[in-house]
Amino acid sequence: MNSKGNEPARPLDIIRRRLHKRYNAEKRFKLYGITAIFLSLAFLFLLFVSIIGNGYSAFQQTHLQLEFYFDPDLIDTANPAASNFPGIVKQTLRQKFPQAKKRREKKQLNSLVSTGAAFQLQDMVEKNPGLVGRTEKIWVPADDDVDMLFKGHISRDVPESDRRLSDFQLQVIETLEKERAVRKRFNATFFTAGDSREPELAGILGAMSGSLLTLALTLALSFPIGGAAAVYLEEFAPRNRWVDLIEVNINNLAAVPSIVFGLLGLAVFINFFNLPRSTPVVGGLVLTIMTLPVIIIASRASLQSVPPSIREAALGVGASKMQMVFHHVLPLALPGMLTGTIIGMARALGETAPLLMIGMVAFIVDIPTGFTDPATALPVQIFLWADSPERAFVERTSAAIIVLLAFLIIMNSLAVILRNRFERRW
Amino acid sequence: MENILQQTRYASLPEAGLQKQDWTHKSVVMEKFEKYDADQRGTVGEIHVADPRMTCRNVDVFYGDAHAIKDVSIDIGRNEVIAMIGPSGCGKSTFIRCLNRMNDTIDICQVTGEILLDDMNIYGKDVDVVPLRAQVGMVFQKPNPFPKSIYDNVVYGPKIHGLVQNRIEEDEIVETSLQRAGLWDEVKDRLDQPGTGLSGGQQQRLCIARTIAVSPEVILMDEPCSALDPIATAKIEELIDELRAQYTIVIVTHSMQQAARVSQRTAYFHLGDLIEVGETKKIFTNPRHTLTEDYITGRFG
Ligand SMILES: Nc1ncnc2c1ncn2[C@@H]1O[C@H](COP(=O)(O)OP(=O)(O)OP(=O)(O)O)[C@@H](O)[C@H]1O
Ligand SMILES: [Mg+2]
């Protein structure tokens, strides 16, 4: 007890004494927040670094330059599809590397060039029949093993038995290298082709258009239906037990694992309605059912956040309920509804499990152009490639993830832009 | 004193022939004594007017089980400003919102009794609230312009009711409404700017312009000046005084001075009861109910 002990403490002193405690609490809280943000940013950074680090090389592909002789004996100009273009490739290689004597060596030699080379030659002849009989220097894609060698995933120093390329194949490649006939070029195939068993011929376009078709249907169905349901429930439905029941069910549906929706789609759309399996139609319907609850919940929250004073103002001048909703409430709620929808779409874009159930996991080479063409989707393609044994599919998996992330970023930016545009108008 | 009572009684004999249905209920008007104690509920004073525009009889309002308005009967005269005063939570807003069925929007709110607008029971079965609210406009406590341009704010009501056919008529109604609301000179150069960008007082006048644009017969105002400074308040009071010539105005206010300044009649509510109604001058100079007196003299409230 000091001398001041008997005097009653001034409120200001009490406040001062506790002040630094309060500030410390505040500082601590800020620190927690910053740590949390930093941690999540770090994980995000790590994710990006690892995916981009793995995936960027897939945007390049090793090509070989060879002198092809378009042998008229092997080409049927009337029907190029029936010609023996693989034979031309083999002939070219055998002439350039006559040291390949044994059957095994010939086979190894042929396997250095992608099977896509023959298709490339065929394309060229179809476009320009004048090529037949001429000799041309042409860049053709190398096999994925050669590609991996140049990207450093196959080492030249390990013993032959541990290597996917034989010593003979390495010799051939070194010869080509000396002639400057090996080069990494932009991998256009990745963006223009569908899936393939050969990594160097596999592309993302099939999965991309599959996703696009599926999402287009999902958006076209789920936004109007979800929006209408939300508006009805929020603005028009009477408050009673039935509506409560519906509300509980919607909330439950939003939490149901997506694979269950896949099973539902399989049972209802494919088995009962006999819609074609593996198609964007079914995928879109399943994803619609899956996203509807999300959109309804987000839209209702957005409708609820419109201040009641605006509703009263509208009713006060004699607007009917319908006019109040459509003239005043909806325009204010729309940005939020759109944001909810785009978030739902982003989730649908990344959804894999339900698509597996309805057969969109099939190996499909052709690029889908309609809602009833067999298709896969981006995440399913990632799943498929991640499952493939070839080393070259590892980088393609990451590249596909990059494409998916790019789409997600575009969609989310769109949400922000749309919202800002709308908000400025109001 | 007996004299005054007699006079009131006399004046109370309604010419409009309303007495037939009116006197069945116990509590309507207590005229026996000159002064009434706090525990005597029921209405003191003169609920009748010679030429009523709205007639409320035995109105009860419940929020679920809560009894918010208890058996209120009152007339609202043509071209008069009637002020509703009373302590917070006494049911002024609840009552005024009955007059254009704004309470319909609250699910748990139940209204019983009779409210007539020119002999039409507004709570009747086949009454449409849309034209009713065009007839009985409302200005809210907090200015609530639409988040649209000033022009669209004013023109919205006439547009949805089909009162304007073309751009020329629209322009005209916007100008006259804003002029009558005393806002025209301040906003005439920026009609396309959002109404939410105006100051609080301007917003409230915009809301008044929006209300009078649909030419209502009755205007309800729930504390229209509570968020405004004295200058804006003065402008709105002036406006109310001008509007009186054409409209019937019911105004809820917490300011006794305001009630005294703008109204001809005053109604005092207390815990859901309508305690006293009468000429504003009389209520403020010679309240007959103890509760009224206590409130007016500032003993509570
Ligand atoms: N939406 C509602 N739901 C339930 N009870 C309500 C509701 N609105 C008002 N009440 C109740 O009704 C009573 C009267 O409220 P009201 O708003 O009419 O009072 P008031 O006289 O306008 O008060 P103030 O002067 O503070 O605005 C209060 O007891 C209030 O709690
Ligand atoms: Mg109130």
Side-chain angles (χ1 to χ4, degrees):
Chain A
M1 285 288 139
N2 56 23
S3 57
K4 284 182 186 170
N6 323 358
E7 281 177 37
R10 281 163 60 217
L12 190 60
D13 291 332
I14 302 173
I15 293 171
R16 282 230 178 89
R17 230 174 290 145
R18 294 201 52 232
L19 214 51
H20 85 278
K21 226 177 177 175
R22 278 153 64 178
Y23 283 138
N24 279 351
E26 195 171 315
K27 265 185 218 147
R28 262 199 314 277
F29 180 75
K30 272 191 198 158
L31 198 72
Y32 295 149
I34 290 171
T35 319
I37 289 175
F38 182 78
L39 266 177
S40 42
L41 276 183
F43 278 118
L44 196 69
F45 182 73
L46 220 73
L47 176 84
F48 274 107
V49 164
S50 95
I51 286 174
I52 293 175
N54 272 326
Y56 83 98
S57 54
F59 298 118
Q60 292 203 316
Q61 161 71 29
T62 309
H63 283 64
L64 305 174
Q65 193 186 39
L66 294 168
E67 224 165 291
F68 291 100
Y69 171 53
F70 288 87
D71 189 345
D73 296 342
L74 293 175
I75 297 173
D76 178 356
T77 11
N79 184 10
S83 319
N84 186 4
F85 285 103
I88 296 181
V89 178
K90 279 182 197 159
Q91 221 175 48
T92 306
L93 284 168
R94 221 166 305 143
Q95 269 164 20
K96 189 161 175 71
F97 301 102
Q99 65 267 42
K101 293 269 163 30
K102 282 180 251 161
R103 229 176 95 80
R104 206 172 57 104
E105 282 173 348
K106 282 182 193 163
K107 215 169 156 197
Q108 284 178 350
L109 184 63
N110 290 338
S111 74
L112 288 178
V113 175
S114 164
T115 45
F119 294 114
Q120 194 181 330
L121 298 182
Q122 180 182 334
D123 270 356
M124 292 174 76
V125 171
E126 274 169 9
K127 276 195 196 107
N128 179 14
L131 281 173
V132 177
R134 300 218 324 246
T135 304
E136 292 279 336
K137 272 193 171 178
I138 297 168
W139 286 100
V140 293
D143 188 64
D144 57 309
D145 286 335
V146 180
D147 193 39
M148 288 301 103
L149 179 77
F150 278 92
K151 285 173 181 167
H153 299 307
I154 293 178
S155 167
R156 302 182 198 219
D157 307 326
V158 293
E160 188 175 11
S161 56
D162 291 353
R163 201 183 319 120
R164 282 185 60 86
L165 291 167
S166 66
D167 288 339
F168 171 70
Q169 282 174 312
L170 283 187
Q171 271 170 30
V172 171
I173 290 166
E174 268 155 29
T175 319
L176 285 169
E177 258 182 311
K178 271 184 209 122
E179 292 171 19
R180 300 182 160 278
V182 183
R183 199 199 285 167
K184 272 194 260 179
R185 303 171 82 198
F186 176 64
N187 185 3
T189 315
F190 186 72
F191 295 101
T192 56
D195 200 4
S196 170
R197 294 278 182 232
E198 303 297 329
E200 73 274 9
L201 299 180
I204 196 86
L205 186 63
M208 242 155 66
S209 39
S211 271
L212 213 73
L213 289 167
T214 310
L215 275 194
L217 191 72
T218 307
L219 181 65
L221 289 177
S222 62
F223 183 57
I225 298 177
V231 168
Y232 177 77
L233 284 175
E234 202 52 50
E235 305 289 339
F236 295 98
R239 295 255 143 262
N240 58 29
R241 224 176 287 162
W242 288 111
V243 175
D244 289 345
L245 195 74
I246 291 173
E247 190 168 331
V248 169
N249 274 305
I250 289 174
N251 291 342
N252 274 341
L253 278 181
V256 165
S258 56
I259 194 149
V260 176
F261 289 107
L263 281 168
L264 179 84
L266 178 66
V268 175
F269 298 124
I270 296 180
N271 292 343
F272 186 73
F273 287 111
N274 284 320
L275 290 174
R277 85 180 24 243
S278 308
T279 53
V281 172
V282 182
L285 287 172
V286 167
L287 292 183
T288 299
I289 300 179
M290 198 198 78
T291 17
L292 262 181
V294 179
I295 292 180
I296 292 176
I297 289 169
S299 300
R300 289 189 68 177
S302 167
L303 286 165
Q304 268 166 18
S305 69
V306 174
S309 66
I310 297 295
R311 296 162 199 269
E312 289 195 323
L315 293 177
V317 295
S320 65
K321 211 162 182 183
M322 186 94 175
Q323 287 170 326
M324 171 194 89
V325 170
F326 283 90
H327 296 165
H328 301 286
V329 178
L330 258 193
L332 289 176
L334 210 57
M337 292 170 76
L338 280 177
T339 312
T341 305
I342 292 180
I343 288 169
M345 286 297 116
R347 200 189 134 191
L349 175 66
E351 199 53 71
T352 328
L355 301 183
L356 302 185
M357 299 314 300
I358 55 155
M360 285 185 87
V361 71
F363 172 73
I364 289 150
V365 179
D366 291 327
I367 289 156
T369 53
F371 290 106
T372 49
D373 292 349
T376 51
L378 272 175
V380 183
Q381 187 71 76
I382 291 168
F383 168 76
L384 282 170
W385 283 349
D387 226 20
S388 300
E390 286 90 346
R391 178 62 183 81
F393 272 128
V394 173
E395 58 175 37
R396 274 166 178 77
T397 306
S398 292
I401 294 174
I402 292 174
V403 172
L404 184 69
L405 285 178
F407 272 106
L408 288 177
I409 289 170
I410 290 171
M411 282 169 84
N412 287 329
S413 320
L414 205 73
V416 173
I417 291 169
L418 269 177
R419 198 172 47 193
N420 289 347
R421 173 96 21 106
F422 266 105
E423 262 165 7
R424 216 170 301 141
R425 235 185 72 202
W426 281 91
Chain B
M1 278 303 138
E2 184 68 14
N3 207 3
I4 294 175
L5 253 179
Q6 281 295 340
Q7 266 181 355
T8 348
R9 173 89 56 92
Y10 199 70
S12 81
L13 282 178
E15 284 106 294
L18 279 164
Q19 77 269 54
K20 285 168 233 142
Q21 63 216 38
D22 279 342
W23 308 112
T24 49
H25 206 274
K26 48 171 174 55
S27 65
V28 171
V29 175
M30 307 189 292
E31 288 288 343
K32 275 207 231 98
F33 310 108
E34 191 182 330
K35 291 280 182 186
Y36 290 86
D37 296 340
D39 55 345
Q40 284 173 301
R41 299 298 166 85
T43 309
V44 183
E46 189 43 74
I47 66 162
H48 295 96
V49 295
D51 182 16
R53 166 142 267 161
M54 296 192 86
T55 315
C56 309
R57 289 294 173 263
N58 311 122
V59 176
D60 281 278
V61 182
F62 298 86
Y63 289 110
D65 293 333
H67 203 168
I69 290 288
K70 298 167 189 160
D71 193 32
V72 167
S73 298
I74 188 172
D75 282 354
I76 295 160
R78 216 168 282 274
N79 299 350
E80 78 170 359
V81 178
I82 179 165
M84 313 248 153
I85 59 172
S88 185
C90 67
K92 306 179 295 291
S93 299
T94 304
F95 182 71
I96 200 178
R97 286 164 60 90
C98 291
L99 300 179
N100 68 344
R101 292 186 56 173
M102 214 57 191
N103 281 332
D104 290 12
T105 55
I106 300 167
D107 289 326
I108 56 167
C109 184
Q110 272 226 322
V111 181
T112 62
E114 206 172 46
I115 300 178
L116 306 178
L117 171 67
D118 297 330
D119 293 337
M120 171 191 74
N121 185 1
I122 66 168
Y123 279 91
K125 244 191 232 125
D126 44 358
V127 169
D128 188 349
V129 293
V130 167
L132 170 70
R133 286 181 190 146
Q135 259 177 306
V136 184
M138 184 153 193
V139 176
F140 297 85
Q141 175 170 3
K142 241 180 72 198
N144 55 353
F146 300 129
K148 301 184 179 206
S149 71
I150 295 169
Y151 188 96
D152 288 342
N153 259 285
V154 180
V155 89
Y156 180 72
K159 245 182 174 165
I160 57 169
H161 294 302
L163 303 177
V164 287
Q165 307 304 336
N166 51 42
R167 184 79 196 192
I168 300 164
E169 287 177 17
E170 284 177 14
D171 287 348
E172 199 183 298
I173 211 160
V174 168
E175 180 169 349
T176 49
S177 305
L178 284 172
Q179 241 156 13
R180 306 200 54 194
L183 192 60
W184 175 250
D185 292 328
E186 288 158 67
V187 300
K188 62 170 181 261
D189 302 321
R190 44 171 176 153
L191 292 174
D192 54 342
Q193 282 174 22
T196 40
L198 297 171
S199 77
Q202 289 172 325
Q203 284 187 20
Q204 193 61 298
R205 277 179 287 152
L206 177 61
C207 292
I208 293 174
R210 179 178 68 189
T211 305
I212 57 183
V214 289
S215 321
E217 289 155 20
V218 181
I219 301 178
L220 312 174
M221 298 184 170
D222 192 350
E223 300 180 44
C225 302
S226 65
L228 306 185
D229 72 5
I231 296 170
T233 304
K235 274 191 182 161
I236 287 180
E237 286 179 8
E238 223 170 88
L239 174 63
I240 291 171
D241 215 40
E242 277 167 38
L243 294 175
R244 180 159 68 94
Q246 282 188 348
Y247 304 100
T248 302
I249 295 173
V250 183
I251 179 170
V252 171
T253 176
H254 273 292
S255 151
M256 247 98 52
Q257 290 87 335
Q258 183 170 57
R261 279 193 300 263
V262 301
S263 70
Q264 285 78 56
R265 282 168 80 227
T266 297
Y268 172 69
F269 285 80
H270 187 90
L271 293 175
D273 288 304
L274 176 56
I275 296 296
E276 187 162 355
V277 199
E279 273 178 43
T280 301
K281 249 186 252 146
K282 270 192 200 152
I283 294 262
F284 283 103
T285 52
N286 185 20
R288 289 170 57 202
H289 203 292
T290 320
L291 289 170
T292 320
E293 190 171 14
D294 287 351
Y295 182 69
I296 284 167
T297 51
R299 239 167 279 169
F300 70 87

